Amino acid sequence: MDERNLTFEEFKHLSQQEQQERYKDLSEHDRFRARISQPSALGHIMCNDCIHYHKDATCDAFPNGIPKEIFDRGEHDTPFPGDNGIRFKPGLKW
């Protein structure tokens, strides 16, 4: 098995079995991105309903990954550091 770190982009293209085996090879941030990209049994993730969301735990406001704090808050309709003035807007982009 390749011992180098696996990028989230590479991870997305693996089979479900390979993802389970290679999850540990992701960086901490990419593990978070992988987790929030999966359907949630705990409830609805508001980002899925935002016109700015990109389906891979990134969005127009956070192109390098949506901060965990946004998901913990469950909202992004007020300013957040680094959001470049882009906030939740209902609608589907994809």
Side-chain angles (χ1 to χ4, degrees), residues 36 44-51 53 55 88 91-92 94:
I36 65 171
H44 185 72
I45 297 174
M46 59 132 189
C47 293
N48 291 329
D49 297 328
C50 183
I51 196 165
Y53 189 53
K55 292 175 59 173
F88 176 80
L92 296 178
W94 29 272

Side-chain angles (χ1 to χ4, degrees), residues 11-79:
F11 179 81
K12 290 190 316 183
H13 297 288
L14 298 175
S15 70
Q16 188 173 10
Q17 173 75 28
E18 291 171 313
Q19 286 181 353
Q20 291 175 354
E21 294 170 3
R22 298 288 312 273
Y23 177 79
K24 66 183 180 333
D25 296 327
L26 292 169
S27 68
E28 182 178 333
H29 178 71
D30 282 345
R31 276 186 244 135
F32 171 71
R33 291 176 68 190
R35 287 192 308 273
I36 65 171
S37 296
Q38 299 299 315
S40 173
L42 301 175
H44 185 72
I45 297 174
M46 59 132 189
C47 293
N48 291 329
D49 297 328
C50 183
I51 196 165
H52 302 294
Y53 189 53
H54 297 171
K55 292 175 59 173
D56 64 353
T58 66
C59 66
D60 295 337
F62 303 104
N64 295 319
I66 300 168
K68 181 180 180 301
E69 294 84 2
I70 294 291
F71 291 102
D72 289 346
R73 283 188 351 185
E75 63 181 43
H76 182 217
D77 56 359
T78 58

